[in-house]
Amino acid sequence: MQWNFEKPCYVLEEPLLRNNLQLIKSIADEVDVEFILAFKAYALWKTFPIFRDYINATTASSLFEARLAFEEFGAKAHTYSPAYTDYDIEEIARYSSHLTFNSLSQYFCYHEKAKTANSELCFGLRINPEYSEIGTMLYNPCAPGSRFGVLAKDLPDLLPSDIEGFHFHCHCESGSDVLERTLVHVEEKFSRWFGQIKWINFGGGHLVTRKDYDIPLLMKILKGFHGRYPHLKIILEPGSAFGWQTGCLVSQVIDIVENHGIKTAILNVSFTCHMPDCLEMPYMPAVRGAETLEGNIREDVLHEPTVYRLGGNSCLSGDFMGMWRFHEPLNVGDSVIFEDMLHYTTVKTNMFNGISHPSIALLHTDGTLEMLREYSYEDYKARMD
């Protein structure tokens, strides 16, 4: 499907989003677990009415996310932050149903003040099983020296009486086989405290909507865990899984330059502003109608008339990626569509260089296109107030 946009736009397709939500709900219903949406990956609040047809809660990591959960999703958040502060803890507590502490020192500092603000609050502790298969250290929360979670050796034999749950996060777009191996370490290190808690949060990074994800194995793992610890409620809080393959970023070619035989199509979007994970992970996104060329590329391939590097429109020298082979030579004004650009991008975009965010549109099931948000100079100026 093609759209005649003159400016960049994220396009979220409602049928694809509902497909993901239905799959997630079917898993939750089958094995009696709760899936909640992680705002750090997806927070397009104008689409929350769609989510409410399938899930009941969300997870937050800050005051603003917790408030968004309460005001726009209509339910208090499961909140975890590496560090709460005196000036936000009471307000966060009022917007939260669950409050997980990163350390025992944070718990002792703030649990009384939080409970005073919300007497119904459930407290949890983040634990660190010291195991993760995430290869990119920037995203590895269990690397040696990590600031995340309490180690087993640092937990007292008897947990504080109002700690009701554990939370761990060790995954990033991972398969169920990774969860299976992770749970071995979690249980080995922390199961002796399971009798003292009521719930356990398996964190995010469970990419259950990816085509090759082994859902039967996931169900077997969850049922097995239930069998061993029937009193524990299991919570999973993926982010990417909800928005996975649900939409694209439409951009336009604004110039084509050549240097040392490399042709760069300069776009009116930016990798550093609009697709930062591409540079941070790094990974090369799929481009509609183009073949991704990775590794060492021969010089004769670089000279092919349809092979281009794609460059952003910021003044960061490294705001580019490449190479791609298109079906036909590109021209100024052509659309370049980046696939799978709804998770993490819309929450991480920035206005470096004064470059505007792309607009955000929702393609409804009936084929109508609703523009959810367009950005202007006033949005940039407000960030500088």
Side-chain angles (χ1 to χ4, degrees), residues 7 19 41 50-51 116 119 141 183 188 196-197 199 201 243 259 274 277 307 310 334 341 352 362 370-371 377:
K7 296 180 179 180
N19 286 344
I50 299 174
F51 280 78
T116 300
S119 62
L183 283 178
E188 182 180 90
Q196 301 178 43
I197 60 175
W199 53 267
N201 187 324
N259 187 317
H274 308 137
D277 277 354
V307 171
L310 298 179
D334 286 349
M341 279 294 156
F352 169 65
L362 175 62
E370 177 187 358
M371 194 63 66
Y377 164 71

Side-chain angles (χ1 to χ4, degrees), residues 181-221:
R181 292 189 289 272
T182 300
L183 283 178
V184 172
H185 295 264
V186 171
E187 293 182 58
E188 182 180 90
K189 287 183 168 66
F190 294 98
S191 62
R192 68 187 182 100
W193 287 281
F194 285 0
Q196 301 178 43
I197 60 175
K198 299 177 181 179
W199 53 267
I200 185 165
N201 187 324
F202 286 6
H206 311 281
L207 197 48
V208 299
T209 51
R210 188 176 59 199
K211 287 183 179 179
D212 63 348
Y213 192 93
D214 191 340
I215 292 175
L217 176 59
L218 174 66
M219 291 184 171
K220 177 183 176 183
I221 293 167

Side-chain angles (χ1 to χ4, degrees), residues 15-244:
L16 301 179
L17 177 61
R18 287 190 181 273
N19 286 344
N20 284 354
L21 287 163
Q22 182 56 53
L23 175 60
I24 289 169
K25 185 179 187 301
S26 68
I27 297 171
D29 291 345
E30 173 70 21
V31 293
D32 189 26
V33 300
E34 182 176 20
F35 278 82
I36 60 179
L37 168 66
F39 281 174
K40 69 177 182 179
Y42 183 102
L44 295 179
W45 56 270
K46 289 184 179 179
T47 66
F48 287 172
I50 299 174
F51 280 78
R52 288 310 306 263
D53 290 342
Y54 304 89
I55 63 171
N56 298 315
T58 61
T59 179
S61 297
S62 64
L63 171 57
F64 291 170
E65 286 188 343
R67 182 174 175 179
L68 188 70
F70 182 76
E71 293 185 353
E72 300 298 340
F73 197 85
K76 292 183 177 181
H78 294 237
T79 304
Y80 159 79
S81 174
Y84 300 109
T85 60
D86 286 327
Y87 52 79
D88 68 10
I89 185 62
E90 291 176 296
E91 195 172 1
I92 285 179
R94 287 193 290 271
Y95 293 132
S96 302
S97 61
H98 296 64
L99 194 73
T100 296
F101 294 97
N102 186 60
S103 65
L104 286 166
S105 57
Q106 279 264 299
Y107 163 79
F108 287 118
C109 185
Y110 291 121
H111 78 106
E112 290 185 1
K113 186 177 288 189
K115 199 72 171 183
T116 300
N118 179 0
S119 62
E120 298 179 349
L121 200 55
C122 295
F123 290 139
L125 273 180
R126 178 162 178 169
I127 56 174
N128 186 332
E130 301 176 78
Y131 178 85
S132 176
E133 298 184 20
I134 300 173
T136 303
M137 286 299 103
L138 182 66
Y139 296 94
N140 189 340
C142 297
S146 171
R147 71 190 195 280
F148 294 131
V150 183
L151 303 181
K153 70 179 184 63
D154 296 325
L155 276 180
D157 290 336
L158 187 64
L159 297 174
S161 60
D162 55 357
I163 292 293
E164 298 184 27
F166 279 166
H167 173 283
F168 66 89
H169 178 69
C170 311
H171 304 105
C172 179
E173 298 186 356
S174 303
S176 51
D177 59 320
V178 180
L179 174 61
E180 185 174 41
R181 292 189 289 272
T182 300
L183 283 178
V184 172
H185 295 264
V186 171
E187 293 182 58
E188 182 180 90
K189 287 183 168 66
F190 294 98
S191 62
R192 68 187 182 100
W193 287 281
F194 285 0
Q196 301 178 43
I197 60 175
K198 299 177 181 179
W199 53 267
I200 185 165
N201 187 324
F202 286 6
H206 311 281
L207 197 48
V208 299
T209 51
R210 188 176 59 199
K211 287 183 179 179
D212 63 348
Y213 192 93
D214 191 340
I215 292 175
L217 176 59
L218 174 66
M219 291 184 171
K220 177 183 176 183
I221 293 167
L222 296 175
K223 288 178 180 178
F225 194 90
H226 267 315
R228 294 190 296 278
Y229 314 102
H231 71 289
L232 287 181
K233 177 180 179 179
I234 300 173
I235 303 165
L236 298 96
E237 51 175 41
S240 293
F242 288 96
W244 188 256

